[in-house]
Amino acid sequence: MRYQVGPGVDDDRNNRADEAVIARAFRRSLVVLAVLATIALAAGLWLKREPPPPEQRSALAEQPVAAPQNSGIALPELNFTDITAAAGVNFIHVSGAYGERLLPETMGGGVAFLDYDGDGDQDLLLVNSMLWPWRDKDGAAPATSALYRNDGSGFFEDVSASTGLDVTLYGMGVATGDFDNDGWVDIYITAVGENRLFRNRDGQRFEDVTREAGVGGNAADWGTSAAFVDYDRDGDLDLFVANYVRWSRDIDFEVDYQLTGIGRAYGPPTNYAGTQSYLFRNDGDGRFADVSELVAVSNPATGEPVGKGLGVIPVDINLDGWPDLVVANDTVRNFLFLNQGDGSFVESGADAGLAFDSSGAATGAMGIDAAWLDGEKMLAIAIGNFANEMSSLFVADSTGGVFTDEAVISGIGPASRKVLSFGLFFFDVDLDGREDLFQANGHVENEIAVVQPSQAFAQPPQIFWNCGDTCPRRFIAAAVGGDFGVARVGRGAAYADIDADGDLDIALTAVGGPARLLRNDLAPDNNWVRLNLEDSAPVFGARVRLSAGGRQQLRYVQPSRSYLSQTEVTLTFGLGAAERIDALEITWPDGVVESPPPPPLNAAATIRRRR
């Protein structure tokens, strides 16, 4: 993340926005002294002075509207209803903040949709942080993460205690996947400090197996987003864990980031040392081997780690059958770890055009996702960035070509520049067969309006509607009704169909605030199908091609995306007005291709691999 004073400011000035404010204040004080010393000059200046500029009114609370270039396009009617209380979800994130302005307090936490009990409904996991261990807790109950079981009727029951997930740690992110191939989804929680792995015992309880598995990491590290991925295609899930910066309370006070008029503030990671991410190879016996050297990136001049990872998306960039890893780094270049197919990776972010934005600068990168647009002709990777930096939309053909940041020409750029984006994902919000883009927004500094009146701490989320390649701008910042536009301090974000009506609902977390469930109230005008793949081996990395209504869609099975979060594994295909599926093709993670008969429309179907 990065503080900026306006669009187009170079990196050095961005990283010193507070010093610029101080310098301006100092220069103005000299002017005042000169006025007091020379009455005549002061009078002249007074008579000739320009009136002060009017106070800037923040546009953040206003709903985004369609771009003028697409003014003739008919947008869908989108509405979301906040059903958090009605659904029985009462989770509130505890950041531990008490005045010292420590960086982790403004960064967490994540959310995951998963079917932990195997009943076909999407359950909800919310990651909590905690009060700092050195703080006087005044008898406060320990903060814990929360698991809510979906009972299938739209109500969520808190089963945190009964399942053993009412754990206290300074949690950040979450990854879900069946690492031991027993048919039950396991949970990995990242943290400031040691991370935790919880094995699912028959959908009834979770057992902490961190030490036995060897995936806790270093207690001095700060884990963020994580992903289960079978990178070596041996039939079990390996684990990638992004680490942020080298941090401790003492380091935070040494950096001592301050803003004029505020004092200590939540600052950028520029003056914190980078870290290496973790890669744990699953050896198939409940244990993992640390092979992090395969994804280590160091400065060749100093030998120090480069990465400041906040987001990760496993995706097969070149469709060669081997999952690659794209890492969103905060204020340093993004990474692309290209899978060589022999158990190794080559970091190729700069060569692939993913390392920097269109101006050649590293951004304050947070959340990340990838989607194939126009069938499989075009791969897009979206990254949410800091305030006054537009979100990135890297686009390339699907054969491994060089990516270009098309945020401006796609229509995402101008509207996304106004906000600070964390959770971000592609999903088909209106089931028309085209993937749209969602962003959860919120600043990191609760007093930001003091120094930047155009900014606000709480910011409304955004949906960029995909109107297709025939529009002057592919994406339009859509006006969304209902409870969607409420300003929140957004962080984690995920989607799932929680009420089995075919459209995708959203879960949001807020730092130091309540989580929210937003039900998609889409009118049932478009057809759809939901596919759940099953195999004796993990299905992460499977690709599904679906043809309907003259349009081909490609989806990739992988829940790890967004920021610190996990979406449902089930794939949702919007079909628009198409009344049948013309063709369906599944490429399983080991490369075997099957073409099962198309399932019926407007229903969920489970497709089991033929063995």
Side-chain angles (χ1 to χ4, degrees):
M1 60 190 173
R2 169 187 297 132
Y3 283 93
Q4 289 186 325
V5 295
V9 183
D10 64 32
D11 285 349
D12 288 338
R13 289 174 61 193
N14 290 340
N15 294 333
R16 297 196 299 271
D18 52 335
E19 285 121 325
V21 173
I22 294 170
R24 288 196 299 270
F26 179 71
R27 290 193 297 269
R28 289 169 183 164
S29 68
L30 293 179
V31 173
V32 173
L33 291 175
V35 169
L36 292 175
T38 311
I39 301 299
L41 178 59
L45 292 174
W46 175 262
L47 292 173
K48 296 180 181 179
R49 69 180 175 89
E50 295 181 0
E55 181 179 352
Q56 290 181 288
R57 178 174 178 266
S58 173
L60 292 175
E62 300 175 1
Q63 286 295 321
V65 296
Q69 295 90 342
N70 292 338
S71 57
I73 304 299
L75 272 70
E77 183 176 339
L78 303 177
N79 285 280
F80 284 81
T81 301
D82 188 335
I83 61 168
T84 312
V89 176
N90 58 2
F91 176 87
I92 296 178
H93 178 259
V94 175
S95 69
Y98 66 106
E100 289 192 335
R101 303 292 184 95
L102 303 176
L103 186 55
E105 297 167 355
T106 194
M107 299 301 290
V111 54
F113 281 112
L114 71 159
D115 184 9
Y116 86 91
D117 53 0
D119 65 354
D121 301 317
Q122 294 300 315
D123 309 303
L124 178 66
L125 175 68
L126 293 156
V127 178
N128 214 342
S129 302
M130 67 177 190
L131 301 181
W132 294 111
W134 55 82
R135 176 184 172 186
D136 184 358
K137 300 175 178 57
D138 296 324
T144 68
S145 295
L147 178 64
Y148 290 89
R149 184 180 67 85
N150 187 340
D151 69 359
S153 69
F155 188 82
F156 288 79
E157 176 190 2
D158 189 340
V159 293
S160 310
S162 62
T163 58
L165 281 180
D166 55 339
V167 294
T168 297
L169 72 166
Y170 206 97
M172 294 295 296
V174 56
T176 59
D178 181 10
F179 82 89
D180 54 357
N181 286 348
D182 65 351
W184 300 98
V185 182
D186 308 301
I187 294 172
Y188 186 80
I189 297 179
T190 66
V192 178
E194 186 182 43
N195 307 316
R196 305 280 189 88
L197 175 62
F198 297 92
R199 174 177 284 162
N200 189 335
R201 294 299 191 185
D202 301 324
Q204 301 296 316
R205 262 190 89 76
F206 287 87
E207 176 188 0
D208 189 335
V209 294
T210 309
R211 294 192 182 280
E212 300 96 298
V215 293
N218 192 317
D221 283 338
W222 176 353
T224 54
S225 292
F228 283 106
V229 53
D230 186 7
Y231 81 87
D232 52 3
R233 285 177 40 173
D234 65 350
D236 51 37
L237 291 177
D238 313 298
L239 179 62
F240 178 91
V241 185
N243 285 317
Y244 192 29
V245 294
R246 183 67 61 191
W247 181 90
S248 70
R249 182 169 178 251
D250 289 341
I251 293 173
D252 205 311
F253 274 94
E254 288 175 8
V255 172
D256 198 24
Y257 189 83
Q258 302 215 3
L259 287 174
T260 302
I262 295 176
R264 272 186 60 81
Y266 296 113
T270 313
N271 293 324
Y272 294 89
T275 60
Q276 305 288 13
S277 295
Y278 289 126
L279 182 62
F280 298 106
R281 187 190 65 226
N282 191 337
D283 285 343
D285 57 356
R287 297 178 181 273
F288 291 75
D290 188 341
V291 292
S292 303
E293 68 275 4
L294 298 178
V295 291
V297 181
S298 299
N299 185 321
T302 65
E304 295 299 317
V306 173
K308 299 181 181 181
L310 285 180
V312 59
I313 177 72
V315 59
D316 186 357
I317 289 285
N318 48 18
L319 296 180
D320 66 353
W322 295 91
D324 311 299
L325 296 164
V326 187
V327 179
N329 283 309
D330 191 354
T331 70
V332 297
R333 61 187 172 93
N334 302 316
F335 299 153
L336 165 60
F337 295 108
L338 274 179
N339 195 328
Q340 301 301 291
D342 59 0
S344 68
F345 293 88
V346 172
E347 201 290 292
S348 306
D351 292 341
L354 288 169
F356 306 102
D357 68 8
S358 57
S359 65
T363 61
M366 314 289 187
I368 187 170
D369 197 9
W372 279 270
L373 308 177
D374 299 334
E376 62 181 71
K377 294 184 296 183
M378 182 186 301
L379 175 61
I381 295 177
I383 296 178
N385 293 318
F386 204 73
N388 300 320
E389 296 174 338
M390 64 185 70
S391 295
S392 300
L393 186 72
F394 297 103
V395 176
D397 64 43
S398 59
T399 60
V402 175
F403 286 83
T404 302
D405 188 351
E406 297 186 359
V408 174
I409 64 174
S410 71
I412 289 174
S416 65
R417 185 188 290 277
K418 303 175 184 177
V419 295
L420 195 166
S421 301
F422 277 88
L424 169 152
F425 52 73
F426 289 102
F427 75 145
D428 187 354
V429 66
D430 59 338
L431 302 176
D432 66 349
R434 295 186 292 262
E435 296 241 64
D436 312 295
L437 181 66
F438 169 87
Q439 290 191 162
N441 304 316
H443 213 281
V444 298
E445 172 53 55
N446 52 318
E447 299 291 341
I448 188 60
V450 174
V451 294
Q452 294 188 34
S454 63
Q455 284 294 318
F457 187 42
Q459 302 175 357
Q462 295 170 297
I463 288 179
F464 293 91
W465 179 66
N466 185 343
C467 66
D469 58 1
T470 60
C471 295
R473 297 288 186 268
R474 175 181 294 274
F475 289 96
I476 301 175
V480 185
D483 301 316
F484 182 85
V486 176
R488 303 173 178 87
V489 189
R491 294 297 184 262
Y495 64 77
D497 180 9
I498 61 175
D499 49 7
D501 64 352
D503 55 36
L504 295 173
D505 313 295
I506 297 173
L508 297 172
T509 68
V511 65
R516 296 296 181 191
L517 272 179
L518 300 179
R519 186 187 65 213
N520 189 341
D521 291 331
L522 182 70
D525 296 331
N526 289 329
N527 293 318
W528 51 273
V529 67
R530 285 169 53 77
L531 302 180
N532 185 44
L533 305 189
E534 286 190 357
D535 189 13
S536 56
V539 298
F540 290 7
R543 300 193 304 271
V544 179
R545 292 178 175 87
L546 181 148
S547 297
R551 177 181 297 145
Q552 185 178 88
Q553 300 181 54
L554 175 63
R555 297 282 192 277
Y556 191 76
V557 180
Q558 175 54 249
S560 298
R561 62 191 70 239
S562 186
Y563 173 73
L564 309 178
S565 300
Q566 306 277 289
T567 62
E568 65 175 353
V569 177
T570 302
L571 301 177
T572 295
F573 290 87
L575 304 177
E579 297 181 352
R580 68 180 187 188
I581 297 172
D582 298 316
L584 185 64
E585 179 184 276
I586 300 173
T587 302
W588 296 96
D590 62 0
V592 173
V593 178
E594 293 182 350
S595 298
L601 302 190
N602 302 323
T606 296
I607 300 179
R608 294 177 176 85
R609 180 175 177 175
R610 296 192 295 268
R611 288 282 187 179

